[in-house]
Amino acid sequence: MKGDTCNMNFNMNIPGLKDVTIHKMEEIGDRVALYVSLPKKEHQCPVCKRMTSKIHDYRVQKIKHLKWFERLTILFYKRRRYVCECGKRFSEKSPFVDKYQRYSKEWNQVVGIRSVKAKTFKETAEVLGTSSSTVIRRFKNVVKEQLKEGVHLPKCIAIDEYKGDTDAGTYQLIIANAETHEPIDILPNRRKETIKDYLMKYGAAVEVVVMDMNPSFKAAVRKALNRPIIVADRFHFSRYIYWALDEVRRKVQKEWHPYDRKKCKKMRHVLYKRFDKLTEKNRWYLRRYTGMSSELRKAYELKEAYCKWFDWAKTTDDITEVKKRLEAFYRKVEEAEIPAFIKAIQTFKNWQVEILNSFSFRYSNGFLEGINNKSKVMKRNAYGFRSFKHFKAKILLNDLYKEIGVHLG
């Protein structure tokens, strides 16, 4: 019988066992045992290169294979050893298992993929009937093959921090291609010196860096690179305006009746939404609470003025006019004399070049927030990662394997 036949009465294609002869199948405990061999054929002597079909002896090799009908499978492979005229004895070449291996090639391939895609190494080990240490060894082999040493950063990169809680520290820094949105590397910490040294080593081609408004990131990039273009992520500078609005809301509602204070807190989303997107009911709440405080009304009007500028700035390439209108917004804030907004525009002034660059180059860190969110889910599912190297590899390989399903074997 050939590999697609496991009994005289029916045919079945067994993954990874093409052209293999199955002599017998039996149950051993909770496992299925297949007794297999390969057809006899001529083999080339590894020493003198002559062809021979003379058999010296047989050796039985016990091999773990993929699950079959949700039953763990063992192969008892009757492996031939050939002998050449020169006296050299050698084993036949097998398409499904390497020499001295206890696992089939198909099994090794599946455990490599599952070690990346599954939630934990322990889960992979339980599914495939092996130990966690074996899975970790296969995972390290995948890392060695797929994640090559020596990084070459592209022209445009994006950087962002995330909370890893590994043996390298609480926070790590991820670096990605700002154009293709592919993660490139992860640094063990977010310290200025670490970022500077890394960029000096690998960032010769970098011209544009997209980041949030972190002063230490900015200082490190400027120190490491030759006159880089720094682009502030739009979400990160816009939220300063919303934080200022929320600060005003929290301040003024303290003086209100407990009912209005609690209701305003519950309905605070009506202050954040654009006016033209509010329902009639939400507009009623907006009029009620802005009518109860002139300061809150002014804060809301400033937020709307900012949104008007922001929406318009996204539609034009005239950066001079964008800057001019932004400075007009600064004057409105100064006239309103609301401390929270004055503090916010001071941050805008400190980062004005980088903010204007975000409208010139149109890059964003939004995709990195998505990668970081997946990383948090990965960390939570695994109840945390002690090893920074393992967590880093998991993040990078998950993106590399995102088109590959986990339902294998």
Side-chain angles (χ1 to χ4, degrees):
M1 290 176 287
K2 293 296 180 183
D4 57 353
T5 308
C6 55
N7 197 292
M8 291 296 293
N9 298 323
F10 63 92
N11 294 331
M12 178 121 351
N13 185 34
I14 302 177
L17 297 182
K18 186 180 178 183
D19 299 327
V20 172
T21 303
I22 300 174
H23 300 283
K24 188 172 70 170
M25 180 182 74
E26 65 179 8
E27 292 185 18
I28 301 177
D30 60 346
R31 295 175 184 258
V32 174
L34 300 177
Y35 294 82
V36 303
S37 68
L38 289 170
K40 180 183 174 182
K41 64 178 183 179
E42 281 194 323
H43 278 66
Q44 188 179 50
C45 174
V47 177
C48 68
K49 308 303 180 186
R50 280 184 290 191
M51 302 299 292
T52 180
S53 59
K54 187 177 179 181
I55 299 170
H56 174 67
D57 62 7
Y58 293 88
R59 300 285 173 88
V60 176
Q61 190 174 350
K62 184 180 176 182
I63 303 157
K64 287 184 179 179
H65 191 51
L66 299 176
K67 278 187 174 182
W68 196 38
F69 291 111
E70 290 304 308
R71 302 286 295 278
L72 295 170
T73 308
I74 303 172
L75 305 179
F76 288 98
Y77 169 36
K78 191 177 181 182
R79 190 167 200 152
R80 291 182 187 84
R81 287 209 308 159
Y82 290 90
V83 60
C84 181
E85 291 178 7
C86 69
K88 175 66 179 177
R89 300 180 184 94
F90 58 94
S91 293
E92 65 184 352
K93 292 180 181 177
S94 171
F96 64 92
V97 64
D98 291 322
K99 196 174 181 182
Y100 307 124
Q101 271 287 320
R102 293 182 297 162
Y103 299 93
S104 67
K105 289 180 180 179
E106 195 87 1
W107 189 93
N108 280 321
Q109 181 184 4
V110 169
V111 78
I113 294 170
R114 277 188 176 270
S115 67
V116 173
K117 301 287 286 185
K119 293 177 182 178
T120 64
F121 297 131
K122 185 178 179 181
E123 178 191 287
T124 302
E126 289 172 351
V127 169
L128 295 171
T130 189
S131 65
S132 297
S133 57
T134 299
V135 174
I136 291 171
R137 283 197 299 272
R138 298 304 188 277
F139 177 74
K140 288 179 178 178
N141 289 339
V142 174
V143 173
K144 193 175 179 180
E145 291 172 8
Q146 299 293 335
L147 302 180
K148 305 297 182 184
E149 291 293 329
V151 175
H152 298 286
L153 296 178
K155 178 182 174 183
C156 304
I157 63 170
I159 63 175
D160 195 17
E161 64 186 18
Y162 70 92
K163 193 175 182 183
D165 290 316
T166 65
D167 54 9
T170 304
Y171 290 94
Q172 280 79 54
L173 185 92
I174 185 166
I175 301 174
N177 189 318
E179 293 179 332
T180 64
H181 297 176
E182 296 172 351
I184 299 169
D185 206 354
I186 298 173
L187 304 191
N189 59 66
R190 58 178 179 177
R191 290 196 288 270
K192 183 168 74 173
E193 289 303 313
T194 304
I195 300 169
K196 185 196 76 173
D197 292 344
Y198 183 87
L199 291 177
M200 287 179 72
K201 187 175 181 181
Y202 300 113
V206 175
E207 295 178 11
V208 179
V209 182
V210 189
M211 65 172 73
D212 61 20
M213 297 165 77
N214 186 315
S216 64
F217 291 178
K218 185 177 178 180
V221 169
R222 282 186 168 172
K223 215 167 186 180
L225 304 178
N226 181 29
R227 300 183 67 182
I229 297 168
I230 299 174
V231 178
D233 181 60
R234 292 176 182 177
F235 165 77
H236 287 91
F237 64 75
S238 292
R239 65 181 180 172
Y240 281 90
I241 300 300
Y242 288 87
W243 283 346
L245 175 61
D246 203 50
E247 187 177 329
V248 173
R249 174 192 63 80
R250 283 186 275 110
K251 175 190 167 187
V252 301
Q253 72 183 22
K254 287 179 182 177
E255 301 173 2
W256 295 350
H257 185 276
Y259 172 81
D260 282 317
R261 184 177 70 249
K262 291 175 184 176
K263 191 66 176 178
C264 183
K265 181 180 178 181
K266 186 178 179 181
M267 299 299 294
R268 63 188 181 275
H269 62 274
V270 303
L271 296 169
Y272 306 150
K273 277 188 178 181
R274 311 290 173 87
F275 182 79
D276 56 354
K277 293 184 179 179
L278 292 175
T279 64
E280 195 55 44
K281 181 181 177 181
N282 286 341
R283 289 182 183 183
W284 184 87
Y285 280 109
L286 177 66
R287 287 192 294 269
R288 174 174 173 78
Y289 293 119
T290 55
M292 291 174 66
S293 167
S294 60
E295 187 176 2
L296 184 59
R297 185 182 69 253
K298 287 179 184 178
Y300 179 78
E301 288 169 354
L302 289 175
K303 187 271 294 185
E304 284 293 295
Y306 170 79
C307 290
K308 185 178 179 182
W309 167 81
F310 182 80
D311 291 341
W312 173 83
K314 291 191 291 184
T315 64
T316 183
D317 294 323
D318 188 350
I319 299 302
T320 303
E321 186 63 22
V322 171
K323 180 182 177 183
K324 183 179 175 183
R325 295 194 185 192
L326 178 59
E327 289 171 347
F329 172 70
Y330 294 162
R331 289 192 291 274
K332 281 186 180 180
V333 171
E334 288 161 358
E335 288 167 8
E337 296 181 338
I338 299 176
F341 276 85
I342 290 172
K343 183 181 175 183
I345 65 164
Q346 187 56 53
T347 303
F348 270 61
K349 289 175 181 178
N350 294 340
W351 286 82
Q352 183 163 291
V353 173
E354 291 76 20
I355 289 170
L356 294 175
N357 283 341
S358 72
F359 297 102
S360 296
F361 294 92
R362 313 284 180 181
Y363 291 120
S364 167
N365 255 10
F367 74 95
L368 265 184
E369 299 295 339
I371 293 173
N372 289 344
N373 185 52
K374 288 179 184 176
S375 303
K376 289 174 187 174
V377 173
M378 204 183 302
K379 183 179 75 171
R380 186 165 62 246
N381 286 336
Y383 298 98
F385 283 85
R386 286 191 300 271
S387 169
F388 163 69
K389 289 183 178 179
H390 286 171
F391 195 19
K392 169 185 171 179
K394 269 273 191 180
I395 295 168
L396 297 177
L397 287 172
N398 258 279
D399 183 79
L400 198 64
Y401 284 20
K402 60 187 174 186
E403 303 299 330
I404 301 175
V406 74
H407 302 291
L408 301 166

